[in-house]
Amino acid sequence: MPWRVAVVLPAREGFSHGAVGAIGLQVATLAGTQDVIVGPPLAGPALLPGHEYHAIQPGLWPPGSRSVRYAAACLRAVAHIAPAVVEVHNRPDTARYIARHRPGQRVLLVLHNDPRGMRGADTPALRRDLLGIMDVACVSGWLRARFLEGLPAACGERVGVSPNGVVLPEHVVPMAQRDPCVLFAGRVVADKGADLFVAACAQLAPVHPGWRFCMIGADRFRSDAPPTPFVTGLLPHARAAGVDMAGYRPHADVLAAMGRAAIVVVPSRWPEPFGMTALEAMAAGAALVASPHGGLPEVVGEGGLLCPPDPASGLARVVGRLMADPDARGSLAARGRGQAARFSVAHARACRSALRAACLHRAPG
């Protein structure tokens, strides 16, 4: 692709080691040489050393909220870069601001979360208005359906699916050699079912004394994430259940832990828009148990066991059966690797490239 793309991060999305979330990691994974990253000032060494990065510092103009001033600063960066396409991640209001103030600019809005809870896209009328000035890419079919809910069928022509991608390790630790460990990795919040994981472990630990239970994560994706009331309240329950709460760890450490653990659990209460943790666990060769909510069934397919996480007793039964059956764990892990291969980085890049090209060449309106 010979033309440049300005990739605009959300105002609070990190893009440095030790301070990066799921969106930043995917932008780094899929970035091509033609991509220019636009985002907030870096908190440390950039994820892509040597790659062009425009740090945005909102000024005092225009008057209004910080989000408006951030969008205006992004617009100034876009004018300097002069890209063929502006790819705005997860911020409909920023995408609308750029499209409105730069007539003729091709804009692709990439959604990683449910737009019905986003400023500037929370009603069918607002979402239809967006499609008059930009194209939209959603990371899952479930998310695409959420965007199109309440809109005419013809609107679907400008809304595509651009899945996340995962690096598939060439070799993984065989199940027979894996640590007898049940792992939770992700934000330690109620939406992610962190408390349900602890409650399930409390039931499993007495009957599986040779197993360990571990949680990696904090409230935020950064090493200096402060303890929240939820995390503080969960700590004594985790200690009583024998769950090791390791706190935030860099992404590479999380992947390494998945590569050693026998079982990974993704017990989300909320409808996951995609389910990157589940995909990474399958790619790493772990046996996966995941919630059936949101985009998770689409990502997991036959590569994991889908189980409602609430009540925790049901989650404990499903995980416990896997703990007791090494052959079932091995078979499930093999299916998971096959499922993860469908979400390769090459495939994800091809999908994103096709939607960028469609955005560039499509007639406005």
Side-chain angles (χ1 to χ4, degrees):
M1 188 181 298
W3 28 273
R4 302 183 94 197
V5 177
V7 181
V8 179
L9 298 173
R12 296 186 179 181
E13 184 69 26
F15 201 70
S16 57
H17 295 283
V20 60
I23 294 175
L25 287 170
Q26 274 300 297
V27 167
T29 298
L30 302 186
T33 56
Q34 78 282 3
D35 291 1
V36 180
I37 315 300
V38 178
L42 297 171
L47 289 180
L48 299 176
H51 204 96
E52 190 172 354
Y53 186 93
H54 284 241
I56 296 301
Q57 192 70 55
L60 299 176
W61 186 265
S65 67
R66 181 176 175 81
S67 63
V68 170
R69 289 183 282 116
Y70 181 78
C74 289
L75 178 65
R76 292 191 291 271
V78 166
H80 174 74
I81 298 165
V85 174
V86 179
E87 182 178 286
V88 179
H89 284 259
N90 229 35
R91 289 296 181 268
D93 51 347
T94 301
R96 178 182 278 110
Y97 188 96
I98 293 172
R100 292 293 190 198
H101 289 81
R102 190 172 168 83
Q105 175 68 66
R106 303 305 196 200
V107 177
L108 177 65
L109 171 63
V110 180
L111 293 174
H112 300 260
N113 294 99
D114 191 343
R116 304 195 329 168
M118 293 181 178
R119 182 173 53 244
D122 52 348
T123 68
L126 286 171
R127 296 195 295 276
R128 187 170 185 177
D129 177 65
L130 287 173
L131 294 178
I133 52 177
M134 68 188 69
D135 283 18
V136 174
C138 302
V139 297
S140 67
W142 178 85
L143 204 58
R144 180 179 184 271
R146 296 287 285 181
F147 185 93
L148 290 171
E149 193 168 307
L151 301 185
C155 291
E157 296 178 3
R158 300 196 71 151
V159 185
V161 175
S162 181
N164 292 327
V166 68
V167 176
L168 198 69
E170 186 175 351
H171 303 288
V172 297
V173 178
M175 186 56 68
Q177 299 174 20
R178 285 180 171 260
D179 295 342
C181 174
V182 181
L183 175 67
F184 170 102
R187 291 185 62 210
V188 181
V189 295
D191 281 350
K192 296 290 187 177
D195 55 324
L196 296 174
F197 177 81
V198 169
C201 292
Q203 298 178 40
L204 291 166
V207 292
H208 296 279
W211 283 73
R212 295 188 299 107
F213 305 89
C214 182
M215 299 181 72
I216 298 177
D219 180 70
R220 290 287 182 269
F221 293 109
R222 48 191 314 130
S223 55
D224 59 352
T228 62
F230 179 85
V231 173
T232 302
L234 190 61
L235 277 169
H237 297 284
R239 282 194 293 267
V243 178
D244 174 25
M245 293 187 68
Y248 172 85
R249 292 292 183 271
H251 187 236
D253 292 356
V254 176
L255 295 181
M258 288 181 174
R260 295 188 301 267
I263 299 172
V264 173
V265 182
V266 181
S268 300
R269 281 188 174 92
W270 79 316
E272 291 281 356
F274 181 80
M276 195 63 204
T277 299
L279 178 57
E280 289 174 335
M282 292 188 295
L288 172 69
V289 177
S291 162
H293 304 316
L296 276 167
E298 183 180 340
V299 172
V300 173
E302 298 296 320
L305 299 180
L306 296 175
C307 169
D310 199 1
S313 57
L315 179 63
R317 280 194 298 272
V318 173
V319 174
R321 284 197 292 268
L322 270 183
M323 295 170 73
D325 191 339
D327 290 338
R329 293 198 304 273
S331 175
L332 185 62
R335 296 202 306 273
R337 286 271 290 171
Q339 177 68 6
R342 301 176 59 187
F343 292 87
S344 68
V345 171
H347 174 70
R349 284 176 175 161
C351 292
R352 184 67 54 81
S353 178
L355 291 175
R356 288 174 171 182
C359 175
L360 178 63
H361 299 299
R362 198 189 313 274

